[in-house]
Amino acid sequence: MDADSIPSSTVLIVDDDKANLDSVCKIFQREGFQTLATTQGKEALEWLLRPEVSVIVSDLMMAGVDGQELLRAARSMRPDVEVILMTAYATVETAVSAMREGAYDFITKPLKRHSLVRAVEKALEKQALVRENQSLRARLGVLDSKALMGQSPAFRAFYDSLLQIAPSSASVLLTGESGTGKELAARALHGFSLRAKYPFVAVNCAALPESILEAELFGVERGAYTGAVSKRDGRFVRANKGTLFLDEVGDMSPTAQVKLLRVLQEGEIERLGGTQSIKVDVRFIAATHKNLHKEVQEGRFREDLFYRLNVVELHLPSLASRREDISLLAEYFLKRFCLKNNKPLQGLTPEALQALENHSWPGNVRELEHAMERAVVLCRHNLVGLADLPESIGKGPKGYASQILIPIGTSMEEIERRVINETLRYTRGDKNLAAHLLGIATRTIYRKLATDENELLEKPTPPQAD
């Protein structure tokens, strides 16, 4: 428990035994807590509405409004307040009943000071965690608006890994094809990290010449070169305590690689033209579409830098490997660009959607985004049709794709699921025809679909657009 948060936490203590009430108050006051105390449960109900009250410590057996009634009122009026009950008449039944109704803890008399204080501290830790989760969900809503979404097995696996990695301080290497959303993933890692309230700073290593890149990263002292008329901080300093995202790190020059390695090793930089070391505390997230293992083997990328950056590798799946997400993303981009262009379109025609699902998507999600923006701008009807899509998509094969891309390492169970789902797409949901094409019994398809639905009900799903 952070000691700084204790004084702002008020404990409401309720006990009709005045001596016990005074004793409990003194315990918490010595620990630095603010307290409110009353012998009347009815008065406690009035004080419950005060916003500074964080925890209630109440006797269970009291005249008038007792501890369990106070608990029920708290759950209704202030569900954010935790309730700890005290009693000299402890039984398994009363404890179970109180916990079922939402009590955080149940402490028996005679009270032990350490147990009482620890129970309140743990209750406050739980509240802090709930607030943090609410904050994360709020930030997730922002991320949703940037199309980090999906329901496919490939996306779920990626997203689960992202949530697990985000709270750590480890450097992360994002890999995957161009257009898969590596910067979105980097922003999500930052947003779900403990550094989220500090800056997220991005730099594209491939877009800047070597001399400019170094100045951008490390900063410049006045007079370092012609035109450097004043001292300027670089992105390392601007990202201090936050996250620095190095996009296309595989395109860094050998000289820049050496300087970056020093920062990773020492946690300090020097501005160009300067001699003074500056301490920086940043989390590194790097991204590349290149195969850095191969770049290291062929001498174009430093091996020691590679292992510093690649503490954890997170691979973004291609859009071709997550075809189940194409319609979801297409609908999302359609809504976004309709708002942007003030065009009240109602959706896509079945032919347009099928063409999107059949396309190979070499440009991944970025290509889909651009395709939908173009379609919205050019569409003259209520629905986006085949003619509104780029020629490479709209004039592709009109029959359903005859091949399904299966990544190496996919389980047989997952392969079976994909083949059944893709065949059902082709037959437009006709299970008898799908079974005939696959050479299996129709009941097998029903059984597989039922299994999938049960799994979806049992597992939380990643976010979708509104």
Side-chain angles (χ1 to χ4, degrees):
M1 185 72 196
D2 186 353
D4 293 339
S5 66
I6 290 177
S8 63
S9 302
T10 297
V11 182
L12 173 57
I13 305 164
V14 191
D15 196 326
D16 57 1
D17 183 330
K18 187 66 167 60
N20 194 65
L21 181 70
D22 291 342
S23 176
V24 173
C25 280
K26 288 178 182 178
I27 289 173
F28 286 112
Q29 288 167 1
R30 290 193 195 104
E31 295 293 328
F33 289 90
Q34 300 291 333
T35 60
L36 291 171
T38 179
T39 58
Q40 301 293 322
K42 185 177 180 180
E43 187 175 27
L45 288 176
E46 297 174 2
W47 286 357
L48 178 59
L49 295 176
R50 295 178 62 161
E52 66 269 26
V53 173
S54 299
V55 180
I56 299 174
V57 177
S58 174
D59 191 25
L60 179 62
M61 308 296 290
M62 296 186 296
V65 177
D66 63 15
Q68 277 196 291
E69 289 178 280
L70 190 56
L71 168 63
R72 295 188 195 105
R75 295 277 65 79
S76 174
M77 299 162 57
R78 287 286 306 279
D80 59 310
V81 171
E82 298 295 342
V83 179
I84 297 169
L85 295 175
M86 308 176 290
T87 184
Y89 308 98
T91 66
V92 173
E93 289 77 13
T94 53
V96 169
S97 176
M99 299 300 279
R100 281 178 175 171
E101 291 191 45
Y104 178 76
D105 208 345
F106 194 94
I107 298 177
T108 59
K109 297 179 180 180
L111 302 171
K112 294 181 180 179
R113 174 184 167 280
H114 173 77
S115 298
L116 191 58
V117 172
R118 185 59 181 153
V120 170
E121 288 179 340
K122 294 293 287 183
L124 291 171
E125 287 174 3
K126 177 188 174 184
Q127 288 178 336
L129 182 61
V130 169
R131 286 194 296 270
E132 181 180 354
N133 287 339
Q134 290 171 341
S135 175
L136 290 178
R137 284 195 291 271
R139 289 201 293 274
L140 181 58
V142 174
L143 293 172
D144 280 357
S145 68
K146 295 182 178 179
L148 188 69
M149 62 182 72
Q151 292 292 331
S152 65
F155 180 84
R156 289 183 195 174
F158 151 76
Y159 190 78
D160 287 345
S161 296
L162 185 149
L163 292 181
Q164 184 176 359
I165 294 167
S168 75
S169 59
S171 297
V172 181
L173 179 63
L174 299 172
T175 60
E177 298 174 8
S178 293
T180 49
K182 290 188 281 291
E183 182 167 349
L184 284 180
R187 290 184 181 276
L189 286 167
H190 174 74
F192 291 129
S193 75
L194 301 178
R195 297 173 180 262
K197 63 181 179 180
Y198 297 105
F200 174 90
V201 178
V203 58
N204 189 325
C205 301
L208 299 172
E210 179 180 340
S211 58
I212 297 178
L213 176 62
E214 291 185 29
E216 281 294 315
L217 287 175
F218 300 100
V220 178
E221 289 287 352
R222 180 180 180 182
Y225 52 78
T226 302
V229 296
S230 62
K231 183 174 69 175
R232 179 164 57 89
D233 285 333
R235 302 200 191 190
F236 280 112
V237 172
R238 286 157 51 191
N240 194 41
K241 295 187 179 181
T243 301
L244 182 66
F245 173 52
L246 300 170
D247 198 8
E248 297 302 347
V249 71
D251 290 310
M252 264 193 164
S253 69
T255 302
Q257 290 179 36
V258 172
K259 293 187 176 182
L260 177 59
L261 178 63
R262 180 174 181 267
V263 182
L264 283 160
Q265 291 174 331
E266 308 296 335
E268 58 185 32
I269 64 164
E270 289 181 7
R271 295 189 183 95
L272 290 184
T275 57
Q276 181 182 2
S277 294
I278 303 169
K279 287 286 186 182
V280 290
D281 172 23
V282 298
R283 184 193 193 178
F284 288 91
I285 300 177
T288 181
H289 72 282
K290 292 185 175 181
N291 184 336
L292 283 193
H293 292 276
K294 184 178 180 181
E295 295 292 302
V296 168
Q297 291 172 358
E298 297 181 359
R300 291 188 292 269
F301 199 85
R302 293 184 63 97
E303 184 176 22
D304 45 5
L305 177 58
F306 170 72
Y307 286 115
R308 287 277 184 177
L309 292 173
N310 189 28
V311 176
V312 181
E313 181 175 338
L314 182 60
H315 184 76
L316 280 80
S318 66
L319 188 55
S321 69
R322 43 181 295 213
R323 290 187 175 276
E324 301 92 330
D325 297 333
I326 291 174
S327 60
L328 172 68
L329 290 166
E331 291 287 348
Y332 163 73
F333 288 130
L334 178 69
K335 291 178 182 178
R336 196 177 85 181
F337 292 121
C338 281
L339 287 173
K340 180 179 177 180
N341 294 280
N342 194 29
K343 294 190 72 170
L345 304 182
Q346 297 176 1
L348 297 101
T349 65
E351 294 78 15
L353 183 56
Q354 184 174 349
L356 293 175
E357 292 176 336
N358 289 353
H359 187 57
S360 58
W361 298 111
N364 292 290
V365 178
R366 185 186 296 126
E367 182 186 0
L368 175 59
E369 180 181 9
H370 293 167
M372 293 310 301
E373 182 172 19
R374 177 188 186 276
V376 169
V377 171
L378 296 179
C379 183
R380 298 180 180 180
H381 307 285
N382 291 332
L383 296 173
V384 169
L386 203 59
D388 301 317
L389 299 176
E391 185 175 353
S392 60
I393 300 171
K395 293 188 177 179
K398 294 186 179 180
Y400 200 79
S402 60
Q403 295 181 339
I404 301 172
L405 298 177
I406 303 293
I408 294 173
T410 304
S411 68
M412 291 302 297
E413 182 180 5
E414 179 58 30
I415 291 173
E416 186 179 59
R417 179 186 290 114
R418 289 194 186 190
V419 170
I420 290 175
N421 286 336
E422 292 300 310
T423 305
L424 284 170
R425 287 177 187 269
Y426 174 75
T427 64
R428 299 185 181 274
D430 188 328
K431 298 179 181 62
N432 291 323
L433 178 56
H436 174 74
L437 292 173
L438 293 171
I440 60 177
T442 304
R443 64 177 178 274
T444 301
I445 291 182
Y446 280 100
R447 178 169 53 81
K448 292 293 183 182
L449 292 176
T451 301
D452 289 351
E453 289 176 0
N454 288 336
E455 289 180 357
L456 286 173
L457 288 173
E458 293 170 0
K459 296 180 181 179
T461 57
Q464 296 189 28
D466 293 335

